[in-house]
Amino acid sequence: MLNETVARVTDRIIERSGAGRQAYLARMHGAAEAGPARAHLSCSGQAHAYAGAGADQAALATQSAGNIGIITTYNDMLSAHQPFERFPELIRDAARAAGGTAQVAGGVPAMCDGVTQGTAGMELSLFSRDIIAMAAGVGLSHNTFDSAIYLGVCDKIVPGLVIAAQAFGHLPAVFLPAGPMTSGISNDAKAEVRQRFASGDATREELMASEMAAYHGPGTCTFYGTANTNQMLMEFMGLHLPGASFVNPNTPLRDALTIAGTQRALAISHLGNSYTPVCDVLDEKAYVNGIVGLHATGGSTNLLIHLVAMARAGGIILDWQDFSDLADVTPLLARVYPNGLADVNHFHAAGGLGYMIGQLLSGGLLHDDVKTIAGDGLDRYTQDPKLKDGGVEWVSGPTETLNDKILRPMGDPFQPTGGLKRLSGSLGNAVTKVSAVKPEHRIVEAPARVFHDQEAVKEAYKNGEFTSDVVVVVRFQGPKANGMPELHSLTPVLANLQAKGLKVALVTDGRMSGASGKVLSAIHVCPEALDGGPIARIQDGDMIRVDARDGLLEVTTPGALDRALATADLSGNEYGQGRELFANFRKTVGAADAGASSI
């Protein structure tokens, strides 16, 4: 039986989204009826479209067995996307063998927050999601495709591709992941060296050796940050094949899953026997399933922004209260770094997403009556893919955890509620990730120290200015101010202060990485400082209460909110490292709780 809260939240999302969702579906159904323009193009237009197709040129001109458009984020400077270099060839060969064709419709940019962390480039990161969506739209605009395959993994990339997929929602959409790199040194050992470097007790050579041992080969990073949270979502929401998320790159099973995904993309096109457009897959129930998965796994806070934007692209309106209510009834079933010592490879070996989906279905926390690219019903996603005769066979997945230090059943969770919490109060709305925060650190009331950038925080730390309990306020970091960069480089500093016995919290209108978590952090504060938010009225010494137990974010100093708004010199955010190209995004972007979107 479906959980009462899950049913209630789903119903109110459906009601709230009614008019917009119906208008969206009407557009998609109209596009489906019109079909691809391939057959209606002039001979010259068709010749242009097929001229580069090599062995498939004649088939495209004379047959209609199905043409797949590939949108790829391949580049070879980012480990997560390097494996995609081989995918177009695999896809073309598999499509040809099945009687269809495939073409790379377009490439889209893919940047890494890990590389740009703490630099000016990080201010482009959130906006890159919208660029990715638009670039994918350009690739598919030729309207010569019967279905689409999306190759993407990391932070802003998958959300951007999902937004694009919904703009072309009459087409089936199969998402093919690259998988995580094999395990290097433990994430805990890596974090320990980072904290020692921040306190001056480790050399840069030691830090570099540690980082290279952690990030050592092709595939996604193995901690449970935004990239791997994206992969979980694609499985919970039915856009991956079952069990595909965490299979390592360049292995026989990964290649077999890529081939099977290609075959499925043809089978669910309008020319196949199981037409399943993405507009029918990504409905309100699918988004609720994704949110439940986010909580049960202790996933990245970035998805509270991305899921809202993704849903709106399909006419569905989510708000942070939906997330909070679902968190209250969803147990935390996984401990994956930074919420534990295990990485995603260990999680996958312990039973992974198939085991977790089975547990959540049995507990009434997921909608089973959904459409997926694998067929009707989420129950299909309790199965594991196995190699058989060079192809993939799905078998029943584990019904018991294989390591209860990493993955637990519904009846014995790591904690009774999910890993994310909405905060509200006199300082506005915010979110916090509590799955990695120890219970004794989940309520902090302390004087504020106010900063306008993260470098000033680190400088104050180096100068020994933090000697007592503190709420570090970093403002003018919202989407309008500077693109809402992640402030992950503050994590070692704040963790060191907490380790010294101080009560420490962070309050910011910026973001924190999906890898953050040990220190209580009220992030995505709305309204942001540049938009007149109360955070712009705070001064040093004001008492701030961050309460993840009762969901409170308040200033308790009398008269604090009667002051004039602070201002900041943001001219340094306008130029350098491409920031001048994104001025219009900063001017038009919406609030974080509405998805922080400019499109």
Side-chain angles (χ1 to χ4, degrees):
M1 179 181 294
L2 190 65
N3 177 276
E4 181 181 343
T5 298
V6 173
R8 175 170 50 83
V9 171
T10 305
D11 287 344
R12 80 181 181 212
I13 293 171
I14 292 172
E15 182 178 2
R16 183 194 305 141
S17 308
R21 178 67 177 168
Q22 291 306 310
Y24 167 78
L25 290 174
R27 294 195 302 272
M28 295 305 107
H29 294 157
E33 290 175 6
R38 186 169 63 250
H40 310 296
L41 287 173
S42 66
C43 291
S44 174
Q46 290 193 60
H48 274 84
Y50 312 149
D56 296 320
Q57 188 175 8
L60 282 164
T62 61
Q63 299 175 19
S64 58
N67 188 33
I68 300 170
I70 305 168
I71 300 294
T72 179
T73 57
Y74 164 71
N75 63 65
D76 64 6
M77 74 150 289
L78 299 181
S79 65
H81 296 94
Q82 187 277 333
F84 288 137
E85 182 175 19
R86 299 174 54 242
F87 277 41
E89 183 178 0
L90 285 170
I91 293 167
R92 281 192 288 264
D93 288 347
R96 196 176 297 126
T101 54
Q103 297 175 283
V104 173
V108 304
M111 65 179 291
C112 176
D113 292 355
V115 176
T116 58
Q117 198 69 245
T119 73
M122 187 66 205
E123 296 178 19
L124 312 185
S125 173
L126 182 58
F127 294 143
S128 76
R129 182 193 66 197
D130 295 354
I131 295 288
I132 289 161
M134 291 188 286
V138 171
L140 294 174
S141 67
H142 299 96
N143 194 22
T144 60
F145 306 108
D146 301 290
S147 60
I149 285 177
Y150 296 87
L151 308 179
V153 177
C154 285
D155 295 21
K156 265 50 74 194
I157 292 107
V158 168
L161 293 177
V162 170
I163 290 170
Q166 289 182 120
F168 290 81
H170 62 292
L171 294 178
V174 174
F175 279 62
L176 297 180
M181 68 178 69
T182 56
S183 300
I185 66 167
S186 74
N187 288 297
D188 206 43
K190 175 188 68 180
E192 185 267 337
V193 176
R194 286 180 177 177
Q195 287 183 219
R196 288 199 297 113
F197 180 77
S199 61
D201 296 325
T203 65
R204 181 165 291 278
E205 289 75 17
E206 289 176 285
L207 178 65
M208 189 65 191
S210 170
E211 298 294 337
M212 292 292 285
Y215 307 115
H216 62 90
T220 58
C221 309
T222 59
F223 60 81
Y224 196 54
T226 308
N228 287 316
T229 302
N230 285 337
Q231 303 316 297
M232 175 278 299
L233 283 172
M234 293 301 92
E235 202 150 325
F236 268 76
M237 296 173 71
L239 290 178
H240 277 179
L241 291 176
S245 296
F246 300 132
V247 176
N248 300 126
N250 303 318
T251 60
L253 181 56
R254 170 54 67 203
D255 286 355
L257 284 164
T258 299
I259 292 167
T262 304
Q263 294 166 343
R264 194 62 190 164
L266 291 172
I268 63 175
S269 81
H270 69 109
L271 297 175
N273 296 322
S274 306
Y275 177 50
T276 311
V278 74
C279 65
D280 289 348
V281 173
L282 294 182
D283 63 5
E284 295 89 343
K285 293 179 180 179
Y287 276 99
V288 169
N289 285 348
I291 296 170
V292 169
L294 180 67
H295 293 316
T297 57
S300 169
T301 53
N302 282 324
L303 272 301
L304 279 96
I305 296 175
H306 297 323
L307 277 165
V308 172
M310 291 156 61
R312 289 185 177 224
I316 296 169
I317 308 300
L318 303 177
D319 65 34
W320 285 351
Q321 192 61 48
D322 300 327
F323 289 79
S324 188
D325 289 351
L326 291 170
D328 287 342
V329 298
T330 303
L332 182 68
L333 301 183
R335 284 282 191 206
V336 188
Y337 188 86
N339 310 330
L341 299 181
D343 66 21
V344 293
N345 292 314
H346 304 136
F347 167 78
H348 186 62
L353 296 178
Y355 171 80
M356 179 175 282
I357 289 172
Q359 287 295 303
L360 294 168
L361 281 169
S362 68
L365 291 172
L366 293 174
H367 293 281
D368 186 34
D369 56 333
V370 291
K371 290 184 178 295
T372 78
I373 65 164
D376 291 345
L378 194 64
D379 184 68
R380 292 174 179 270
Y381 286 75
T382 64
Q383 298 179 315
D384 276 350
K386 302 293 182 183
L387 279 174
K388 184 176 181 181
D389 300 327
V392 180
E393 178 182 62
W394 276 269
V395 301
S396 296
T399 56
E400 295 184 4
T401 176
L402 303 179
N403 188 332
D404 65 5
K405 293 180 175 60
I406 300 172
L407 194 54
R408 287 193 179 170
M410 283 285 296
D412 184 29
F414 289 104
Q415 63 186 45
T417 58
L420 302 174
K421 184 81 173 180
R422 176 177 180 263
L423 306 176
S424 62
S426 57
L427 285 179
N429 295 317
V431 294
T432 186
K433 181 176 179 176
V434 295
S435 51
V437 179
K438 293 182 178 179
E440 60 266 29
H441 298 314
R442 294 182 183 179
I443 300 175
V444 175
E445 187 165 4
R449 277 293 308 273
V450 182
F451 301 89
H452 289 177
D453 63 70
Q454 57 186 321
E455 292 306 315
V457 179
K458 290 186 277 190
E459 189 65 26
Y461 173 78
K462 290 177 182 177
N463 294 336
E465 297 178 21
F466 297 112
T467 58
S468 58
D469 297 348
V470 64
V471 174
V472 176
V473 177
V474 188
R475 62 192 180 194
F476 295 102
Q477 303 298 308
K480 292 184 178 181
N482 63 351
M484 205 180 187
E486 288 182 352
L487 308 178
H488 182 46
S489 64
L490 295 180
T491 299
V493 168
L494 299 176
N496 280 343
L497 294 176
Q498 183 170 273
K500 292 178 179 179
L502 302 182
K503 290 186 176 181
V504 182
L506 173 70
V507 174
T508 181
D509 48 10
R511 294 184 294 127
M512 287 291 278
S513 167
S516 306
K518 292 182 180 180
V519 175
L520 182 62
S521 301
I523 61 177
H524 309 173
V525 173
C526 294
E528 64 175 285
L530 191 62
D531 210 22
I535 193 175
R537 303 182 193 274
I538 300 302
Q539 294 181 0
D540 286 352
D542 286 346
M543 292 299 295
I544 306 294
R545 182 177 179 84
V546 184
D547 184 341
R549 183 190 63 193
D550 295 330
L552 299 175
L553 177 62
E554 297 182 329
V555 54
T556 58
T557 298
L561 299 182
D562 297 330
R563 304 185 189 114
L565 295 166
T567 59
D569 180 5
L570 301 178
S571 59
N573 302 338
E574 298 296 323
Y575 300 97
Q577 297 299 310
R579 286 180 289 186
E580 53 267 54
L581 302 175
F582 287 74
N584 285 336
F585 284 80
R586 292 189 292 273
K587 292 176 183 176
T588 60
V589 67
D593 56 4
S597 180
S598 297
I599 56 177

